[in-house]
Amino acid sequence: MQTTSVLDSKRSIWLWMASMLLLVGCQDAATDTFPISQFTTWPVPADGTRIPAPRSLYADKDDTVYALDDAGRVLIYSAQGEVLNTWHMPDYEAGRPEGIIKLLDGRIAVADTHYDRVVFFHADGTLESMIGEKGTEPGQFVYPVAITQDPDGFLYVGEYGDKQRIQKFTSTGEFVTQFGEHGTGLGQFQRPSGIVWSNQTVYAVDAFNNRIQVFSDSGHFQGVLKLPDDLAAFEFPYDVRGTSDGRLYVIENKAARLTVLTEDGSFVGRYGRPGRGDGEFFNPWSLTVLSDGRILVADTGNHRIVELTP
């Protein structure tokens, strides 16, 4: 009788443990709290015999999409995914660029990461100008990786090399100020690879520190956006985009998911997991949001651009 009782007790314990493991597994898998009605893909055009991988995305107010790939190309898409134009960077043997934006004056600016500069193109792809050189002084760069612009024309460039900082410039390239340094403390960075300006505030992903930091646009540290305690922490947030309704869209490279929150840190939802199929990403690097709410993800490891329809 005692033997049977002990066996029953052990069996109950194992059944309880198994049910708990199953429950945890279900909770880990149930990350799609941000509803997506359609998952489609845009092709990246071949470069010779190779299909390159997208690395950066930006959509302008007319929903023209600007992309960079690891073949060292700029690609221009329509809002329906049609390739309108492509051209190569002036140099790309040393490495491929990782940040692109269309400026208020119509020029296209690229953070030319491995050449320590920002390159400006006219809309047709002809080279307009460049700023920067390798170094750690104001106006110099080591691995610039992110770029954005505010409504007054000021440029913000994030770099992940020796200084791990964000530099602010006028629209014509004159240095204004800088903030951040290498480290894990408040106001410090390890790869500020995505930047959003909104209402005199700069939101910057701090990728390897797994957080989003908040600064005034003059460079004063204001805080860190906190996710709810019961939510899994950021895992290598690589890029961020803001929308006019006050939302921030974050792509997490290691977790291979989209996280949506508000500018005050309120959680909205999550979507995606690691993989190769629908609803899955592999080492995603960047994203952008179109005016109709569609979200584009540079699904880098899968060599595709993913279109998500909420």
Side-chain angles (χ1 to χ4, degrees), residues 113 116 136 141-145 158-165 181-182 189-192:
T113 310
D116 309 302
T136 58
F141 302 109
V142 180
Y143 298 142
V145 69
E159 56 186 299
Y160 69 87
D162 295 345
K163 294 291 281 188
Q164 300 274 357
R165 62 184 172 180
E181 60 183 2
H182 182 264
F189 289 116
Q190 291 193 93
R191 191 180 169 94

Side-chain angles (χ1 to χ4, degrees), residues 179-244:
F179 48 98
E181 60 183 2
H182 182 264
T184 60
L186 297 179
Q188 298 178 327
F189 289 116
Q190 291 193 93
R191 191 180 169 94
S193 54
I195 309 169
V196 163
W197 181 97
S198 178
N199 297 317
Q200 287 72 52
T201 303
V202 172
Y203 300 87
V205 295
D206 185 11
F208 296 163
N209 286 326
N210 298 309
R211 63 189 180 185
I212 297 175
Q213 299 203 77
V214 185
F215 299 82
S216 70
D217 59 11
S218 59
H220 297 291
F221 175 75
Q222 295 183 337
V224 175
L225 289 188
K226 299 287 188 181
L227 291 173
D229 292 339
D230 60 348
L231 199 68
F234 286 120
E235 294 184 61
F236 288 10
Y238 254 42
D239 200 9
V240 59
R241 289 290 182 267
T243 52
S244 59

Side-chain angles (χ1 to χ4, degrees), residues 10-69:
K10 287 184 176 181
R11 187 178 296 114
S12 297
I13 291 172
W14 280 111
L15 288 172
W16 177 82
M17 291 176 65
S19 66
M20 289 300 100
L21 288 171
L22 181 61
L23 179 59
V24 170
C26 290
Q27 288 175 336
D28 288 343
T31 59
D32 295 347
T33 55
F34 187 76
I36 295 297
S37 63
Q38 189 170 358
F39 182 105
T40 57
T41 60
W42 293 9
V44 178
D47 184 53
T49 60
R50 175 172 174 254
I51 301 298
R55 306 184 84 175
S56 183
L57 294 172
Y58 176 81
D60 67 16
K61 62 181 178 62
D62 299 317
D63 287 339
T64 301
V65 178
Y66 303 82
L68 297 173
D69 67 18

Side-chain angles (χ1 to χ4, degrees), residues 13-169:
I13 291 172
W14 280 111
L15 288 172
W16 177 82
M17 291 176 65
S19 66
M20 289 300 100
L21 288 171
L22 181 61
L23 179 59
V24 170
C26 290
Q27 288 175 336
D28 288 343
T31 59
D32 295 347
T33 55
F34 187 76
I36 295 297
S37 63
Q38 189 170 358
F39 182 105
T40 57
T41 60
W42 293 9
V44 178
D47 184 53
T49 60
R50 175 172 174 254
I51 301 298
R55 306 184 84 175
S56 183
L57 294 172
Y58 176 81
D60 67 16
K61 62 181 178 62
D62 299 317
D63 287 339
T64 301
V65 178
Y66 303 82
L68 297 173
D69 67 18
D70 66 357
R73 299 182 302 181
V74 177
L75 304 99
I76 314 298
Y77 289 86
S78 72
Q80 289 71 44
E82 176 189 4
V83 178
L84 304 175
N85 196 6
T86 68
W87 65 84
H88 278 93
M89 294 293 295
D91 305 283
Y92 52 90
E93 291 81 6
R96 285 33 169 178
E98 298 183 30
I100 189 168
I101 188 175
K102 182 182 179 183
L103 303 178
L104 297 173
D105 60 13
R107 293 179 298 160
I108 299 163
V110 175
D112 199 2
T113 310
H114 296 274
Y115 288 88
D116 309 302
R117 64 194 180 191
V118 175
V119 179
F120 300 92
F121 296 97
H122 294 295
D124 63 359
T126 56
L127 181 66
E128 193 265 345
S129 62
M130 305 182 190
I131 63 170
E133 59 182 1
K134 187 171 184 177
T136 58
E137 296 300 315
Q140 298 178 329
F141 302 109
V142 180
Y143 298 142
V145 69
I147 184 167
T148 197
Q149 188 177 38
D150 70 23
D152 292 324
F154 290 103
L155 300 173
Y156 302 80
V157 181
E159 56 186 299
Y160 69 87
D162 295 345
K163 294 291 281 188
Q164 300 274 357
R165 62 184 172 180
I166 294 174
Q167 295 191 70
K168 181 177 180 179
F169 299 87

